[in-house]
Every structure is written in C-alpha cells, then in structure tokens.
Amino acid sequence: MEFVFLNGEIIERSKAKVDVEDRGYQFGDGVYEVIRIYNGKMFTLDEHLRRFVKSAESIGISIPFTSVQLSEMLKELLIKNNLETGNIYMQVTRGIAPRNHVFPTGNVVPTLVAYTIKGVRPLESLKSGVKAILTEDIRWLRCDIKSLNLLGNLLAKQKASEAGCFEAIQHRGNDVTEGSSSNIFIVKNGTVITHESNNLILKGITKDVILDLCLANNIPVEERTFSLTELNDAEEVFLSSTTSEVMPIIEVNGKKMGRGVPGPITRKLQGLFEREIEKQCGLLVDKLI
Ligand code: PSZ
C-alpha cells in the first residue's frame, strides 16, 4: 500500500482527494519542492524546507505547519512507504475557494500534499553526459519562486525531448539563464561560471552545494550572467538539479561542447558531490566514481 501526506494526515493514496476548486488545480496558485532520498534519508532537507517556506511566503501563502513538523511528517511518510532511493514531491496551494483571481478572504486553509516516488540515480547519463538544445526563455520575471506554474518550463522541455535531447538551455537574448528544470554551468579557463541567483532563475539547492564544494576545494567560481558565445566556447558544460545532480552536457544544438565528453572539472565535482551525499545519507551502493 502507498501512503501520501494530505493536510497533516498520512492516508492511503487512493483515499486522497482534492476539490475541483483547489486553487492549485485551477490557477497553479501554489509552490512545490522535490527532495532527493538516498538510503532512506533526505538530502539537503533543511535547505528544501527553507526554500519551500520562502516560495510560499513570496506569494502570500502561510504554510500551516512548522518546518520541524514538516520534517517529522516527511520522515514518517518515508518509513510508511519504505522508500530507499527516490524523491519526495511536496506542494502547497492557497486552498479551496470559489473560482476568483482575487485571493480568497477569511480562513481558507492551504492544501498541503506530499508523496514519494521511487527512482534510482541516472548513472548512465551521469557517466556519458547528455545533449541539450537552446531555446529563448519565455517565462515570467519571478523564476526565483518555485511556482506550480510551469508552462514555460514544460514547453522548453518538450522541445528538447522532441529534438532527442535531455534538456533545454534557456536564454534571454544573449544571456543564458537556466535549464527548463536545472541550473546551467560552464567552465572557462578552469573557472566554474553559473548565473547569479536573482529573479531570473531558481536558486538551485544543488547549485549551492556545488558552489560550496568549489570554494572548499579551491576550484575558482564566478556567479554571473554568461553569454551564448561563452557557452558555445566553453571547455565544459554541465547542469545541476535535485535528481540530475552534476550532469555533464556534451552537446548543445548538435555541436560538441569541449571535447564532446564529460570534462575533468565536471568529473571532479561529480566525485565531490557523491562524497557530500555520503556525508549526509550514508554510503552509496551505486557509485559513479
Ligand atoms: O525530477 C526532476 O526532473 C527534477 S527535481 C528538481 C528539478 C527537476 N529541477 C529543479 C530546478 C528547476 O526546476 C529550475 C527551473 N531551475 C533549477 C532547478 C534546480 O534546482 P534544485 O537543484 O534545487 O533541484
């Protein structure tokens, strides 16, 4: 039996129902998080909870649980579902109210849902790297909020998929922003470069882990906007996300990046990232490096 977390209770998935006038369903009026599970343990849990609360606050949703309560409930959910490797998906919406663009007044309770998804590490892609396409970033100007509204991201990802690629690298004019569901990094003269965390991108938790690893291991980093030309000329390119970790990008729009194989700094960061996972979640059985 599979369990889900709904509004403070852990119940059977088949019994979990949300009203047709939930504002998440109608407007995408809510925010979410995806948390990676290794060895039954949550990786960078505190960072995800902090971002969840921050995203919710930025659209005026007050989560009706403390982070400690959320963390306890997620742990219980993992145990009940016997999840070893996979993800937790969690979302909160503004709640159920008669359809109206204006926020409901009165005591409308936010709808909070969490469930688990089994899933192994994408070892083959992590070893060989993936391909990407370029696409204009047509999203709104608050990409720092992990909003349920993902249409811009979905259209970009679908375009990548139809081109036989794993990811779409988005750009606003000449400036590279981020992937459809990832942050983008380039390596230039041995320096790791990635877009600064402002309103144009999501402040990825994986991105921040990678930046900390660079600092701790004397790998030079620059958090700044970089151009399509710099991407095109990069020695190495990689993306980062909760599920993709440090993923080499070996081809963009059909052109090989660097030597067309995962580069040495990307590989080094993959190793450091695995060590960080093991620090937080215990030894990995399916190691890359
Ligand atoms: O399962 C998946 O494919 C996932 S889990 C998380 C993501 C994809 N993507 C998160 C994300 C994103 O959606 C955008 C637009 N930018 C950056 C990221 C990376 O954020 P973190 O590292 O926090 O997952």
Side-chain angles (χ1 to χ4, degrees):
M1 203 146 35
E2 194 190 331
F3 294 93
V4 304
F5 172 74
L6 176 61
N7 296 331
E9 285 184 310
I10 292 182
I11 58 175
E12 259 182 68
R13 179 170 178 161
S14 59
K15 302 227 167 84
K17 303 285 179 227
V18 178
D19 194 88
V20 292
E21 280 193 318
D22 187 275
R23 291 179 63 91
Y25 183 59
Q26 291 198 327
F27 298 116
D29 187 4
V31 298
Y32 75 106
E33 278 298 325
V34 180
I35 304 167
R36 191 81 174 108
I37 314 302
Y38 303 100
N39 299 326
K41 297 195 181 66
M42 292 178 270
F43 182 66
T44 53
L45 172 65
D46 291 347
E47 289 83 348
H48 282 283
L49 289 178
R50 242 178 279 136
R51 188 172 66 184
F52 190 51
V53 171
K54 197 171 161 211
S55 290
E57 276 174 355
S58 71
I59 60 166
I61 293 177
S62 167
I63 296 170
F65 301 96
T66 64
S67 290
V68 174
Q69 284 174 319
L70 285 179
S71 139
E72 290 305 315
M73 287 182 290
L74 294 179
K75 276 178 199 152
E76 194 183 331
L77 184 66
L78 285 180
I79 293 167
K80 282 210 114 172
N81 283 345
N82 211 359
L83 189 76
E84 272 291 303
T85 308
N87 304 300
I88 289 178
Y89 178 87
M90 174 165 66
Q91 74 168 44
V92 65
T93 74
R94 202 177 304 278
I96 299 154
R99 188 177 187 282
N100 187 338
H101 285 52
V102 178
F103 294 176
T105 51
N107 47 356
V108 173
V109 187
T111 308
L112 182 62
V113 169
Y115 67 100
T116 59
I117 307 140
K118 282 199 168 70
V120 295
R121 300 178 65 211
L123 281 178
E124 279 315 308
S125 303
L126 288 170
K127 265 179 215 153
S128 321
V130 296
K131 299 175 185 177
I133 57 154
L134 293 171
T135 190
E136 183 69 34
D137 194 338
I138 60 164
R139 300 172 305 158
W140 70 332
L141 297 174
R142 288 306 305 274
C143 296
D144 53 319
I145 302 170
K146 203 158 167 59
S147 156
L148 296 180
N149 283 277
L150 287 171
L151 270 179
N153 309 62
L154 304 189
L155 291 172
K157 187 69 120 192
Q158 181 61 20
K159 198 169 155 192
S161 174
E162 284 169 10
C165 291
F166 178 74
E167 183 57 303
I169 300 174
Q170 303 173 101
H171 56 92
R172 290 191 188 265
N174 205 30
D175 294 342
V176 175
T177 51
E178 64 177 342
S180 73
S181 61
S182 62
N183 292 114
I184 303 294
F185 296 71
I186 59 170
V187 180
K188 185 179 171 182
N189 301 324
T191 297
V192 172
I193 305 169
T194 189
H195 197 288
E196 69 271 31
S197 292
N198 62 13
N199 64 307
L200 298 181
I201 68 159
L202 183 73
K203 185 173 165 59
I205 285 159
T206 321
K207 170 189 189 234
D208 282 350
V209 170
I210 292 167
L211 292 178
D212 285 347
L213 289 173
C214 286
L215 288 177
N217 292 278
N218 301 314
I219 301 169
V221 286
E222 283 177 24
E223 248 189 304
R224 64 160 175 90
T225 309
F226 59 90
S227 67
L228 285 173
T229 317
E230 287 182 287
L231 171 69
N232 201 47
D233 297 341
E235 290 146 25
E236 301 178 37
V237 183
F238 62 92
L239 63 80
S240 74
S241 82
T242 292
T243 47
S244 292
E245 304 177 2
V246 180
M247 179 68 78
I249 295 177
I250 54 167
E251 205 178 292
V252 176
N253 271 4
K255 178 184 177 284
K256 287 198 181 349
M257 291 290 106
R259 302 219 163 126
V261 291
I265 292 180
T266 308
R267 275 279 185 258
K268 169 135 205 231
L269 285 168
Q270 287 182 317
L272 292 170
F273 196 81
E274 280 192 332
R275 263 195 258 161
E276 185 57 35
I277 296 170
E278 294 192 316
K279 240 196 249 176
Q280 293 189 29
C281 303
L283 294 186
L284 288 166
V285 281
D286 52 346
K287 282 205 7 172
L288 180 70
I289 289 160

